[in-house]
Amino acid sequence: MGVKLAGLTNSWLLRTKRRALAAAVALACASALLPASAQDQSPLDERILEIREQARFVPDKALQQLLKLEPEIAAAAPRTQAEFMTQISATRMGLGRNDIALEFAEKVIAYGKSLHDNAIVAKGMLTKVYVLFAQADVKAAHQLAFEAEKLAMSTSDAALRVQATITAGQTYAEQANFPQALTKLQQAVDMARPATDDPVSLLAALNALSKLYTQMREYDKASAALDELLAETGKIKSPGRMAMAKNTEYGLAIDSGQPKRAMRALLQSLELERKMGAERMVGITLVNLADINLKQHDFPRAAQYAAEALRSSLATQDKSAEAAARANMGQAYLGMGRIAEGKKQYEAGLARYEQENNKPDLQAALREYGEALERAGDLSGAVSAYHRERALSNELFETQRRQSVLELQEKYESEKRQRQIELLSRENQVKGAEIDNRRLQQRVWWLLALVFALASMVVGLLYRKVRHANAQLEVKNMELKAQSTLDPLTSLYNRRHFQDYMRGLNTAAGQKPELEKRAHHRDDIVGALFLLDVDHFKNINDTYGHAAGDAVLKMIAENLRVALRETDMIVRWGGEEFLAFLPAIPRHGVDEIARRILTGISSQAIRYQEHDISVNVSVGFAPFPLAPGDVPLPWERAVNLVDMALYLAKAHGRNRAYGVRGFENFHLTSMEVIEQDLERAWRAGYVDLSVVLGGPPGTPPASPSEHSNVVSIKHAKTGH
């Protein structure tokens, strides 16, 4: 519940937050890029060194100090000039002027190239990486980060090499390549330890390493890195660095289920930031304080912190913090029953992410918005938010699917080209051998037989190698295909496989004539679709940690395997959602299967770190195909209708299943009207629903004869 701008949890600002933190940590390291040896520093270098800490925490004051040095810079050494421009870029970015920051980063790169100084060029490239991150141009930032690291490692600048390695590690983490990220950040820590005259490099490396371990949910290792970070930070007596370390402690504490420690770390950080006058950091910390109070359902205090965060972010023109503050304020107002005010503030926060075209964060925000409206009793508003989230989810999935297909196709084409090159090379070798054979035949006839024999052996060996290479490629393609169809956590089929299967079913069956026949004649044997969602799954993650959430998802997957048949297709639909497609069951047994799913899952409890976690699910279901007006719906629309039934189940109390059994008086309405608002269509008598109620947690599955929790409802004109 709530929005935060620091820490490493699965809140809806996670991706934006990671980029912001990556840039912040790297900028902290970037500010250390003065000559490694103190004895080589000029008085001007020392003054820039003093300003660099100001640049990180109070960029407005640092910029004033830097501009005072400008008259002296023209006569300074090249690396001093480059450092000056780097700090100008850092302060401008800290003040939200990414355009000017990018301009100065480009100047550093051009200046370094004119001097043929790789250290200056690499420094400029890294500075540009951070600005690209701030502009959300992630792909370009990732590519440039790796180029900058390669160039930096060719120089003798120790601080620069540490900074580049940290940035490469954070880039791998952004790409979810945690093994490579861990290797890089451990290397950065090892490189930074000897640099005793540059403690900032070690602090930046330890900070990044602790956050990565938290992100990987290795909390013991994250805590060890944090302890060293706090100890090293205490040595330099920098309030700003200590505030950064406390924010890292907050991220670890909130993710590992230590809310009291998280609250304490935030309050300590806030005190340090206010003493420094670091107003942008203050705004972010206030956002996090609002978030943690939302988790504890202290809505008045959350609203107070959110209001303070909003005032701070407006003063500093920090648009991301402003959006987060408004969203948290909206949730707090909704929690207090002030629905109109809450919706106004939350919508204002959402507008910012729509402006940024930040679709993943917007999707998660809409999901939380719907849940908050549901808790506040605004079911129509919750349904609207849910539909917006679902449309965005489908769009993102299709984008991801297309990208994955293109990547797989590119990989296959690359391997195919490589194989063709190898074959051509081998053909050239054979042709060369044949030419040599002709020459030898003219000169020494008695060696002809031997040469042909050798040539035959070479061709045979090459042919065998080609066959072996093709076989290996086939095996790898099969492995890749298998991996692309399964969810790695639950080993269930993934959403892409289900979609491909249904498209293939359409093609193979000629648009499903047999299913159409079933729909027209209402056969006793039908297919069925079940879509289920874990109730209050976010609370499980927030309370017990993500490892507990993963255990819950695996438990549900196992229960579905037990409750359903081997011939049924079970799919990890996304997040905490699962889908099951049953190709052939008795029509009268559809409700019974929904009941079996509900009670089978609620009867289980997960034992996790001395806690028993009980789980319920909500289910939407329908026979398949659905045929309003005797025209079968495409499978996509059938799944969408089941999805709407699932949301009705959640909106009407959870731990239950809503099933679409059929349609009545369809000539008086249309499918578009029904899809726009399923509940209204139900109340108007156009949709025939059945409701299956789940039992309390721990209730053993009932026998097939116990159907008292199944209710058939054709319409609900007088309420439900």
Side-chain angles (χ1 to χ4, degrees):
M1 179 189 300
V3 178
K4 60 181 164 299
L5 287 171
L8 289 169
T9 72
N10 63 345
S11 71
W12 62 268
L13 260 180
L14 178 60
R15 292 175 71 253
T16 301
K17 172 202 63 190
R18 279 185 191 158
R19 293 170 193 158
L21 288 176
V25 172
L27 276 174
C29 190
S31 63
L33 294 181
L34 288 166
S37 175
Q39 63 185 9
D40 296 331
Q41 294 177 4
S42 68
L44 184 57
D45 289 328
E46 291 176 358
R47 287 159 68 186
I48 297 176
L49 179 63
E50 293 172 0
I51 294 172
R52 76 177 186 186
E53 288 297 284
Q54 257 191 336
R56 174 62 186 86
F57 306 114
V58 279
D60 50 344
K61 295 180 181 178
L63 181 61
Q64 295 175 10
Q65 296 298 320
L66 286 168
L67 293 178
K68 290 179 181 178
L69 299 179
E70 198 166 15
E72 304 176 46
I73 291 299
R79 293 201 177 184
T80 302
Q81 293 188 42
E83 184 59 35
F84 174 80
M85 288 187 286
T86 297
Q87 295 307 318
I88 290 286
S89 178
T91 54
R92 289 296 190 183
M93 190 175 78
L95 293 170
R97 293 303 307 271
N98 294 329
D99 52 343
I100 301 178
L102 186 61
E103 178 185 341
F104 273 90
E106 295 285 10
K107 285 182 179 179
V108 176
I109 295 172
Y111 184 53
K113 288 180 177 179
S114 70
L115 298 174
H116 304 288
D117 189 324
N118 285 347
I120 293 178
V121 175
K123 179 186 296 186
M125 292 169 70
L126 288 171
T127 305
K128 183 177 178 179
V129 166
Y130 313 139
V131 182
L132 292 173
F133 265 118
Q135 293 178 326
D137 191 352
V138 179
K139 185 175 181 180
H142 286 177
Q143 181 178 350
L144 188 60
F146 293 131
E147 294 176 9
E149 183 208 13
K150 184 176 180 181
L151 189 62
M153 298 309 288
S154 69
T155 72
S156 60
D157 190 326
L160 177 65
R161 292 200 304 271
V162 173
Q163 178 200 7
T165 306
I166 293 173
T167 306
Q170 291 169 326
T171 300
Y172 279 123
E174 277 282 322
Q175 297 173 342
N177 187 346
F178 296 135
Q180 281 288 83
L182 183 59
T183 298
K184 288 293 181 184
L185 294 182
Q186 287 173 334
Q187 288 176 353
V189 171
D190 292 339
M191 286 191 292
R193 289 192 198 281
T196 54
D197 56 344
D198 181 25
V200 172
S201 292
L202 179 58
L203 298 183
L206 288 170
N207 201 23
L209 182 61
S210 179
K211 287 177 179 176
L212 177 65
Y213 276 134
T214 302
Q215 191 175 352
M216 296 168 65
R217 303 175 193 170
E218 295 191 20
Y219 300 128
D220 291 342
K221 294 179 180 179
S223 184
L226 176 64
D227 288 343
E228 185 178 358
L229 170 64
L230 291 170
E232 293 296 328
T233 304
K235 294 178 183 178
I236 66 171
K237 302 185 185 306
S238 166
R241 297 291 167 180
M242 183 58 73
M244 287 178 62
K246 286 296 177 181
N247 278 321
T248 302
E249 181 180 0
Y250 157 71
L252 169 59
I254 201 69
D255 256 23
S256 58
Q258 305 176 69
K260 291 183 179 178
R261 181 185 179 188
M263 178 76 79
R264 185 169 60 251
L266 281 178
L267 292 173
Q268 291 170 344
S269 177
L270 182 64
E271 183 180 1
L272 291 166
E273 291 158 3
R274 281 179 165 161
K275 285 182 179 178
M276 289 188 299
E279 193 58 36
R280 291 177 74 86
M281 294 178 70
V282 166
I284 292 172
T285 302
L286 288 168
V287 166
N288 291 331
L289 282 165
D291 170 66
I292 202 169
N293 279 281
L294 283 172
K295 285 184 171 63
Q296 296 174 352
H297 301 284
D298 189 345
F299 299 117
R301 188 175 293 274
Q304 176 187 341
Y305 279 124
E308 291 183 43
L310 182 59
R311 287 194 294 271
S312 176
S313 60
L314 289 172
T316 59
Q317 298 183 344
D318 187 338
K319 298 298 183 181
S320 294
E322 178 190 344
R326 289 189 184 279
N328 281 345
M329 187 180 296
Q331 284 203 47
Y333 285 161
L334 289 172
M336 291 187 289
R338 297 161 61 178
I339 296 178
E341 294 174 271
K343 291 174 73 171
K344 179 181 178 181
Q345 290 295 340
Y346 212 112
E347 290 287 353
L350 292 177
R352 171 65 184 174
Y353 296 98
E354 290 175 339
Q355 290 172 4
E356 293 179 347
N357 199 29
N358 193 342
K359 293 180 180 178
D361 296 340
L362 180 60
Q363 178 198 356
L366 285 167
R367 189 177 185 87
E368 286 200 359
Y369 187 28
E371 292 174 355
L373 289 170
E374 179 190 341
R375 287 190 297 270
D378 185 356
L379 294 184
S380 63
V383 170
S384 175
Y386 177 79
H387 286 319
R388 290 165 66 186
E389 185 270 337
R390 182 57 56 197
L392 194 57
S393 173
N394 291 335
E395 179 185 346
L396 288 173
F397 176 79
E398 284 301 317
T399 301
Q400 184 181 24
R401 186 184 69 82
R402 287 194 296 269
Q403 182 179 353
S404 298
V405 169
L406 289 174
E407 289 174 355
L408 286 172
Q409 184 177 359
E410 183 179 350
K411 181 178 180 181
Y412 173 78
E413 292 296 334
S414 176
E415 291 179 347
K416 183 178 178 181
R417 285 194 297 270
Q418 184 61 33
R419 192 169 71 253
Q420 290 173 339
I421 291 170
E422 292 175 358
L423 288 172
L424 287 172
S425 176
R426 287 163 185 159
E427 287 177 3
N428 288 336
Q429 292 176 13
V430 173
K431 289 178 181 178
E434 291 175 352
I435 293 172
D436 291 341
N437 287 343
R438 293 193 189 99
R439 291 175 180 172
L440 287 172
Q441 185 180 21
Q442 295 173 358
R443 296 179 182 178
V444 282
W445 63 269
W446 54 272
L447 290 176
L448 183 60
L450 179 60
V451 170
F452 273 121
L454 290 174
S456 299
M457 289 175 61
V458 169
V459 172
L461 287 172
L462 291 175
Y463 179 70
R464 192 177 305 169
K465 287 183 178 179
V466 170
R467 289 187 61 186
H468 180 66
N470 286 338
Q472 285 185 323
L473 183 60
E474 184 66 24
V475 169
K476 290 193 175 296
N477 284 340
M478 291 176 65
E479 291 175 355
L480 186 62
K481 183 178 179 181
Q483 292 172 2
S484 69
T485 63
L486 295 180
D487 170 59
L489 176 65
T490 62
S491 297
L492 299 176
Y493 288 117
N494 61 22
R495 187 170 181 170
R496 184 190 310 160
H497 175 74
F498 174 76
Q499 292 182 328
D500 292 342
Y501 172 82
M502 296 303 284
R503 294 188 187 104
L505 193 63
N506 283 349
T507 304
Q511 301 303 317
K512 301 193 285 283
E514 180 153 339
L515 292 178
E516 289 183 7
K517 180 180 177 183
R518 267 189 216 162
H520 282 295
H521 294 89
R522 301 182 180 271
D523 289 344
D524 289 336
I525 301 300
V526 297
L529 288 165
F530 293 82
L531 187 63
L532 55 145
D533 183 276
V534 184
D535 293 338
H536 303 298
F537 184 71
K538 188 175 185 298
N539 290 345
I540 296 173
N541 277 338
D542 289 342
T543 304
Y544 304 106
H546 299 289
D550 290 346
V552 166
L553 296 178
K554 288 190 280 190
M555 179 273 284
I556 291 174
E558 289 302 319
N559 272 275
L560 289 175
R561 290 189 182 98
V562 172
L564 304 176
R565 303 165 301 185
E566 291 185 2
T567 54
D568 300 330
M569 180 178 291
I570 310 172
V571 181
R572 172 90 180 277
W573 195 240
E576 64 270 25
E577 287 186 327
F578 297 83
L579 180 141
F581 173 60
L582 286 60
I585 59 172
R587 182 180 294 276
H588 62 79
V590 178
D591 289 344
E592 163 63 19
I593 292 172
R595 182 197 61 79
R596 193 190 311 163
I597 291 172
L598 287 171
T599 58
I601 292 172
S602 63
S603 65
Q604 303 292 320
I606 291 291
R607 184 70 177 172
Y608 183 78
Q609 293 183 353
E610 300 181 357
H611 296 284
D612 289 323
I613 306 174
S614 298
V615 181
N616 291 323
V617 296
S618 298
V619 182
F621 66 97
F624 182 79
L626 282 168
D630 291 336
V631 178
L633 290 178
W635 69 266
E636 296 93 341
R637 295 183 78 173
V639 170
N640 183 58
L641 206 59
V642 169
D643 196 11
M644 296 172 71
L646 164 64
Y647 192 72
L648 280 182
K650 298 186 83 68
H652 288 261
R654 294 186 167 87
N655 189 23
R656 63 194 61 202
Y658 270 56
V660 179
R661 305 179 71 171
F663 304 89
E664 303 290 339
N665 303 315
F666 189 72
H667 62 284
L668 299 177
T669 184
S670 67
M671 201 61 219
E672 288 72 20
V673 171
I674 292 173
E675 287 177 324
Q676 186 174 4
D677 193 331
L678 179 62
E679 183 167 10
R680 181 180 297 173
W682 168 40
R683 293 181 179 280
Y686 299 135
V687 179
D688 180 8
L689 294 183
S690 62
V691 182
V692 182
L693 303 178
T699 303
S703 66
S705 62
E706 295 175 336
H707 292 161
S708 60
N709 58 345
V710 180
V711 181
S712 176
I713 306 176
K714 288 197 173 183
H715 60 85
K717 293 180 179 177
T718 58
H720 59 278

